[in-house]
Amino acid sequence: MRLQSLSLTNFKNIASASLEFSPKVNCLLGDNGMGKSNLLDAIYFLSFTKSYTRVPDSMLIRRGETFGIVAARYNRNGIDEELTAGLRAGVRKSFKRGGKEYKRLSSHIGLFPAVMVAPADLELVTGASDERRRFVDMIISQSDPVYLDALIRYGQALEQRNRMLRDEIADATLYESVEMVMDAAASVIRSRRTAIVAELSEIFDRYYAGIAGDGERARLTFCPSGADHAALIDALEHARTRDRILHYTTVGPHRDDIEFMLNDMHVRRTASQGQTKTFTVALRFAQYDFLRRTTPVAPLLLLDDIFDKLDATRVERIIKLVARDDFGQIFITDTNRKHLDEIMEAIGSDYRMWSVCDGGFNPMTVHEKD
């Protein structure tokens, strides 16, 4: 899949921008806070119908303006496609493919896959378990609509059960009906999470070793919360009295976690800044590798300030990795021109580069192979 062009109006700090992209590498060079990451977030938004930063849609509209527009042209499996998203304060966003508005935004997920590598990925290691669940859910949802549907059904039933707990509903029959829905959805969620984390761990270990070098071994382990999925309905019934006191549901897939280990020790407790950054970059590269093999089109790879906190050796290894044919169209932001020039030299293919300042994008370099 190739993103051919992107047009933005009143998106974050970008008043107006229109860019035509290289099919291989696109570089955004500039100081922090100028709009580089915002452009990547616009691309992410078109893939997932929401911001990578998870802010409300109203906050994506440029300050002082009442609307925003994100529009793009893609080539997907040899067919030209158009996506348009309209944002207006106080109004539900409009999201269209080929001029036709989606009835359910969830049906868009996975059609235009993308992987973002960003400084906020540190939260995968240091943050709460919901960050790691979201990471796994995003991977599976882009390649498995059945899983996404189960995730939505489970979330709706969980919200209903928690509301009943807060309202101190005592009717056991009502709880049983909701818990049956949760149990059916949980069966799909738990089985897919178990399989995907195991598969992802093998891919991830290869990428981590490729960046860190020999002597460091990393792995992922799925840690389900409470009872096995086959017995969730029994666990929910058993926990009902406690949950009514606490006013929330204490067992189920919404409390699962993924354990991150480095040399058989927890990453969050023992890893250096460089090791942690290596860990998160390898996680995202493994995500890309998995999606490349399981989705109909190659994902876009969005690399936001990827080299921060890494020594020169690890930077060089990452550059060699992204230069491989495994990766399709790439978008990179950096404050360091040297890093970008080294990547271009290593890849030796088409690229375009822009200087970014105060939400403006000025073309610097266009290199097209004969």
Side-chain angles (χ1 to χ4, degrees), residues 12 49 53 68 78 109-110 121 127 145 161-162 174 186 223 233 241 249 280-281 295 306 323 328 336:
K12 291 191 168 181
T49 75
T53 59
I109 306 303
D121 287 341
R161 187 178 190 270
N162 284 340
L174 289 177
C223 303
I233 195 165
T241 300
T249 302
T280 58
V281 171
T295 55
I306 190 173
N336 188 329

PDB file of all heavy atoms in Angstrom, residues 12 49 53 68 78 109-110 121 127 145 161-162 174 186 223 233 241 249 280-281 295 306 323 328 336:
ATOM      1  N   LYS A  12      -4.535  20.205  14.195  1.00  0.00           N
ATOM      2  CA  LYS A  12      -3.587  20.557  15.253  1.00  0.00           C
ATOM      3  C   LYS A  12      -2.956  21.923  14.933  1.00  0.00           C
ATOM      4  O   LYS A  12      -3.676  22.896  14.737  1.00  0.00           O
ATOM      5  CB  LYS A  12      -2.566  19.435  15.440  1.00  0.00           C
ATOM      6  CG  LYS A  12      -3.192  18.160  16.034  1.00  0.00           C
ATOM      7  CD  LYS A  12      -2.146  17.167  16.465  1.00  0.00           C
ATOM      8  CE  LYS A  12      -2.757  16.061  17.309  1.00  0.00           C
ATOM      9  NZ  LYS A  12      -1.766  15.083  17.782  1.00  0.00           N
ATOM     10  N   THR A  49      -9.046   6.065  12.566  1.00  0.00           N
ATOM     11  CA  THR A  49     -10.185   6.958  12.822  1.00  0.00           C
ATOM     12  C   THR A  49     -10.061   7.689  14.161  1.00  0.00           C
ATOM     13  O   THR A  49     -11.043   8.228  14.664  1.00  0.00           O
ATOM     14  CB  THR A  49     -11.545   6.239  12.750  1.00  0.00           C
ATOM     15  OG1 THR A  49     -11.759   5.444  13.916  1.00  0.00           O
ATOM     16  CG2 THR A  49     -11.641   5.354  11.502  1.00  0.00           C
ATOM     17  N   THR A  53      -2.453   9.988  19.917  1.00  0.00           N
ATOM     18  CA  THR A  53      -2.339  10.522  21.276  1.00  0.00           C
ATOM     19  C   THR A  53      -3.596  10.300  22.103  1.00  0.00           C
ATOM     20  O   THR A  53      -3.616  10.638  23.291  1.00  0.00           O
ATOM     21  CB  THR A  53      -2.015  12.025  21.233  1.00  0.00           C
ATOM     22  OG1 THR A  53      -3.068  12.705  20.524  1.00  0.00           O
ATOM     23  CG2 THR A  53      -0.707  12.280  20.520  1.00  0.00           C
ATOM     24  N   GLY A  68     -11.897  21.027  10.922  1.00  0.00           N
ATOM     25  CA  GLY A  68     -10.633  20.523  10.392  1.00  0.00           C
ATOM     26  C   GLY A  68     -10.916  19.453   9.352  1.00  0.00           C
ATOM     27  O   GLY A  68     -11.954  18.777   9.401  1.00  0.00           O
ATOM     28  N   GLY A  78      -3.087  -1.784  -6.102  1.00  0.00           N
ATOM     29  CA  GLY A  78      -3.186  -1.332  -7.484  1.00  0.00           C
ATOM     30  C   GLY A  78      -4.393  -0.476  -7.790  1.00  0.00           C
ATOM     31  O   GLY A  78      -4.587  -0.066  -8.940  1.00  0.00           O
ATOM     32  N   ILE A 109     -11.180  -0.366  10.307  1.00  0.00           N
ATOM     33  CA  ILE A 109      -9.928  -0.796  10.936  1.00  0.00           C
ATOM     34  C   ILE A 109      -9.341  -1.992  10.187  1.00  0.00           C
ATOM     35  O   ILE A 109     -10.009  -2.987   9.948  1.00  0.00           O
ATOM     36  CB  ILE A 109     -10.148  -1.154  12.416  1.00  0.00           C
ATOM     37  CG1 ILE A 109     -10.805   0.013  13.154  1.00  0.00           C
ATOM     38  CG2 ILE A 109      -8.823  -1.538  13.076  1.00  0.00           C
ATOM     39  CD1 ILE A 109     -10.037   1.297  13.084  1.00  0.00           C
ATOM     40  N   GLY A 110      -8.049  -1.877   9.838  1.00  0.00           N
ATOM     41  CA  GLY A 110      -7.343  -2.953   9.150  1.00  0.00           C
ATOM     42  C   GLY A 110      -7.274  -2.804   7.649  1.00  0.00           C
ATOM     43  O   GLY A 110      -6.474  -3.482   7.004  1.00  0.00           O
ATOM     44  N   ASP A 121       5.775   5.464  23.270  1.00  0.00           N
ATOM     45  CA  ASP A 121       5.808   4.009  23.421  1.00  0.00           C
ATOM     46  C   ASP A 121       6.476   3.583  24.718  1.00  0.00           C
ATOM     47  O   ASP A 121       6.334   2.429  25.139  1.00  0.00           O
ATOM     48  CB  ASP A 121       6.553   3.359  22.239  1.00  0.00           C
ATOM     49  CG  ASP A 121       5.744   3.393  20.952  1.00  0.00           C
ATOM     50  OD1 ASP A 121       4.514   3.580  21.036  1.00  0.00           O
ATOM     51  OD2 ASP A 121       6.336   3.235  19.872  1.00  0.00           O
ATOM     52  N   GLY A 127       4.090   1.989  31.814  1.00  0.00           N
ATOM     53  CA  GLY A 127       2.707   2.293  32.123  1.00  0.00           C
ATOM     54  C   GLY A 127       1.926   1.115  32.692  1.00  0.00           C
ATOM     55  O   GLY A 127       2.473   0.033  32.929  1.00  0.00           O
ATOM     56  N   PRO A 145     -11.154  -9.184  12.020  1.00  0.00           N
ATOM     57  CA  PRO A 145     -12.400  -8.476  12.359  1.00  0.00           C
ATOM     58  C   PRO A 145     -13.258  -9.222  13.368  1.00  0.00           C
ATOM     59  O   PRO A 145     -14.034  -8.598  14.104  1.00  0.00           O
ATOM     60  CB  PRO A 145     -13.113  -8.333  11.009  1.00  0.00           C
ATOM     61  CG  PRO A 145     -12.487  -9.357  10.111  1.00  0.00           C
ATOM     62  CD  PRO A 145     -11.077  -9.514  10.582  1.00  0.00           C
ATOM     63  N   ARG A 161     -22.211  -4.230  33.051  1.00  0.00           N
ATOM     64  CA  ARG A 161     -22.071  -4.886  34.361  1.00  0.00           C
ATOM     65  C   ARG A 161     -21.549  -3.899  35.404  1.00  0.00           C
ATOM     66  O   ARG A 161     -22.036  -3.874  36.555  1.00  0.00           O
ATOM     67  CB  ARG A 161     -21.128  -6.081  34.248  1.00  0.00           C
ATOM     68  CG  ARG A 161     -21.058  -6.941  35.534  1.00  0.00           C
ATOM     69  CD  ARG A 161     -20.149  -8.135  35.326  1.00  0.00           C
ATOM     70  NE  ARG A 161     -20.247  -9.092  36.425  1.00  0.00           N
ATOM     71  CZ  ARG A 161     -19.477  -9.054  37.520  1.00  0.00           C
ATOM     72  NH1 ARG A 161     -18.587  -8.087  37.670  1.00  0.00           N
ATOM     73  NH2 ARG A 161     -19.623  -9.974  38.469  1.00  0.00           N
ATOM     74  N   ASN A 162     -20.576  -3.085  35.037  1.00  0.00           N
ATOM     75  CA  ASN A 162     -20.042  -2.107  35.991  1.00  0.00           C
ATOM     76  C   ASN A 162     -21.104  -1.088  36.385  1.00  0.00           C
ATOM     77  O   ASN A 162     -21.148  -0.638  37.542  1.00  0.00           O
ATOM     78  CB  ASN A 162     -18.822  -1.401  35.385  1.00  0.00           C
ATOM     79  CG  ASN A 162     -17.576  -2.275  35.399  1.00  0.00           C
ATOM     80  OD1 ASN A 162     -17.498  -3.239  36.153  1.00  0.00           O
ATOM     81  ND2 ASN A 162     -16.601  -1.932  34.575  1.00  0.00           N
ATOM     82  N   LEU A 174     -30.204 -10.726  35.925  1.00  0.00           N
ATOM     83  CA  LEU A 174     -29.639  -9.681  35.087  1.00  0.00           C
ATOM     84  C   LEU A 174     -28.126  -9.856  34.957  1.00  0.00           C
ATOM     85  O   LEU A 174     -27.558  -9.722  33.859  1.00  0.00           O
ATOM     86  CB  LEU A 174     -29.956  -8.303  35.671  1.00  0.00           C
ATOM     87  CG  LEU A 174     -31.412  -7.836  35.569  1.00  0.00           C
ATOM     88  CD1 LEU A 174     -31.568  -6.478  36.256  1.00  0.00           C
ATOM     89  CD2 LEU A 174     -31.835  -7.743  34.109  1.00  0.00           C
ATOM     90  N   ALA A 186     -15.093 -13.289  25.708  1.00  0.00           N
ATOM     91  CA  ALA A 186     -13.795 -13.532  26.342  1.00  0.00           C
ATOM     92  C   ALA A 186     -13.114 -14.767  25.773  1.00  0.00           C
ATOM     93  O   ALA A 186     -11.880 -14.824  25.685  1.00  0.00           O
ATOM     94  CB  ALA A 186     -13.966 -13.682  27.851  1.00  0.00           C
ATOM     95  N   CYS A 223      -0.141 -12.883  30.224  1.00  0.00           N
ATOM     96  CA  CYS A 223      -0.527 -13.167  31.600  1.00  0.00           C
ATOM     97  C   CYS A 223      -2.017 -12.889  31.780  1.00  0.00           C
ATOM     98  O   CYS A 223      -2.417 -11.748  32.096  1.00  0.00           O
ATOM     99  CB  CYS A 223       0.282 -12.309  32.576  1.00  0.00           C
ATOM    100  SG  CYS A 223       2.071 -12.502  32.429  1.00  0.00           S
ATOM    101  N   ILE A 233     -17.184 -17.356  33.259  1.00  0.00           N
ATOM    102  CA  ILE A 233     -18.536 -17.124  33.761  1.00  0.00           C
ATOM    103  C   ILE A 233     -18.660 -17.550  35.225  1.00  0.00           C
ATOM    104  O   ILE A 233     -19.350 -16.907  36.015  1.00  0.00           O
ATOM    105  CB  ILE A 233     -19.577 -17.851  32.868  1.00  0.00           C
ATOM    106  CG1 ILE A 233     -20.971 -17.301  33.164  1.00  0.00           C
ATOM    107  CG2 ILE A 233     -19.505 -19.372  33.037  1.00  0.00           C
ATOM    108  CD1 ILE A 233     -22.002 -17.674  32.126  1.00  0.00           C
ATOM    109  N   THR A 241     -20.077 -10.790  44.668  1.00  0.00           N
ATOM    110  CA  THR A 241     -20.243 -10.137  45.965  1.00  0.00           C
ATOM    111  C   THR A 241     -19.145  -9.098  46.197  1.00  0.00           C
ATOM    112  O   THR A 241     -19.416  -7.960  46.609  1.00  0.00           O
ATOM    113  CB  THR A 241     -20.228 -11.172  47.102  1.00  0.00           C
ATOM    114  OG1 THR A 241     -21.288 -12.106  46.910  1.00  0.00           O
ATOM    115  CG2 THR A 241     -20.384 -10.482  48.457  1.00  0.00           C
ATOM    116  N   THR A 249     -15.756  -4.535  38.014  1.00  0.00           N
ATOM    117  CA  THR A 249     -15.505  -5.950  37.720  1.00  0.00           C
ATOM    118  C   THR A 249     -14.021  -6.252  37.876  1.00  0.00           C
ATOM    119  O   THR A 249     -13.173  -5.624  37.233  1.00  0.00           O
ATOM    120  CB  THR A 249     -15.953  -6.284  36.285  1.00  0.00           C
ATOM    121  OG1 THR A 249     -17.346  -5.958  36.148  1.00  0.00           O
ATOM    122  CG2 THR A 249     -15.742  -7.746  35.964  1.00  0.00           C
ATOM    123  N   THR A 280      11.070  -1.036  22.945  1.00  0.00           N
ATOM    124  CA  THR A 280       9.841  -0.527  22.329  1.00  0.00           C
ATOM    125  C   THR A 280       9.959  -0.455  20.809  1.00  0.00           C
ATOM    126  O   THR A 280       8.988  -0.739  20.097  1.00  0.00           O
ATOM    127  CB  THR A 280       9.478   0.853  22.892  1.00  0.00           C
ATOM    128  OG1 THR A 280      10.544   1.779  22.665  1.00  0.00           O
ATOM    129  CG2 THR A 280       9.191   0.768  24.378  1.00  0.00           C
ATOM    130  N   VAL A 281      11.136  -0.087  20.288  1.00  0.00           N
ATOM    131  CA  VAL A 281      11.320  -0.072  18.833  1.00  0.00           C
ATOM    132  C   VAL A 281      11.183  -1.482  18.270  1.00  0.00           C
ATOM    133  O   VAL A 281      10.511  -1.705  17.250  1.00  0.00           O
ATOM    134  CB  VAL A 281      12.690   0.529  18.466  1.00  0.00           C
ATOM    135  CG1 VAL A 281      12.981   0.345  16.966  1.00  0.00           C
ATOM    136  CG2 VAL A 281      12.741   2.007  18.818  1.00  0.00           C
ATOM    137  N   THR A 295      -2.062  -9.124   6.810  1.00  0.00           N
ATOM    138  CA  THR A 295      -3.044  -8.225   6.220  1.00  0.00           C
ATOM    139  C   THR A 295      -2.864  -8.183   4.707  1.00  0.00           C
ATOM    140  O   THR A 295      -1.774  -8.470   4.202  1.00  0.00           O
ATOM    141  CB  THR A 295      -2.914  -6.793   6.799  1.00  0.00           C
ATOM    142  OG1 THR A 295      -1.566  -6.337   6.612  1.00  0.00           O
ATOM    143  CG2 THR A 295      -3.236  -6.776   8.276  1.00  0.00           C
ATOM    144  N   ILE A 306      12.743   8.440  16.326  1.00  0.00           N
ATOM    145  CA  ILE A 306      13.054   7.061  16.706  1.00  0.00           C
ATOM    146  C   ILE A 306      14.440   6.903  17.335  1.00  0.00           C
ATOM    147  O   ILE A 306      14.689   5.960  18.078  1.00  0.00           O
ATOM    148  CB  ILE A 306      12.931   6.138  15.466  1.00  0.00           C
ATOM    149  CG1 ILE A 306      13.006   4.661  15.881  1.00  0.00           C
ATOM    150  CG2 ILE A 306      13.970   6.471  14.421  1.00  0.00           C
ATOM    151  CD1 ILE A 306      12.737   3.710  14.747  1.00  0.00           C
ATOM    152  N   ALA A 323      16.387  -0.264   6.096  1.00  0.00           N
ATOM    153  CA  ALA A 323      16.837  -0.253   4.701  1.00  0.00           C
ATOM    154  C   ALA A 323      16.463  -1.543   3.969  1.00  0.00           C
ATOM    155  O   ALA A 323      16.520  -1.597   2.736  1.00  0.00           O
ATOM    156  CB  ALA A 323      18.346  -0.029   4.641  1.00  0.00           C
ATOM    157  N   GLY A 328       7.916  -1.328   3.686  1.00  0.00           N
ATOM    158  CA  GLY A 328       7.391  -0.658   2.509  1.00  0.00           C
ATOM    159  C   GLY A 328       7.593   0.845   2.604  1.00  0.00           C
ATOM    160  O   GLY A 328       8.712   1.327   2.751  1.00  0.00           O
ATOM    161  N   ASN A 336      17.675  15.767  13.620  1.00  0.00           N
ATOM    162  CA  ASN A 336      19.079  15.602  13.244  1.00  0.00           C
ATOM    163  C   ASN A 336      19.189  15.241  11.766  1.00  0.00           C
ATOM    164  O   ASN A 336      18.836  14.136  11.359  1.00  0.00           O
ATOM    165  CB  ASN A 336      19.702  14.512  14.127  1.00  0.00           C
ATOM    166  CG  ASN A 336      21.198  14.393  13.952  1.00  0.00           C
ATOM    167  OD1 ASN A 336      21.735  14.638  12.871  1.00  0.00           O
ATOM    168  ND2 ASN A 336      21.882  13.999  15.012  1.00  0.00           N
TER     169      ASN A 336
END
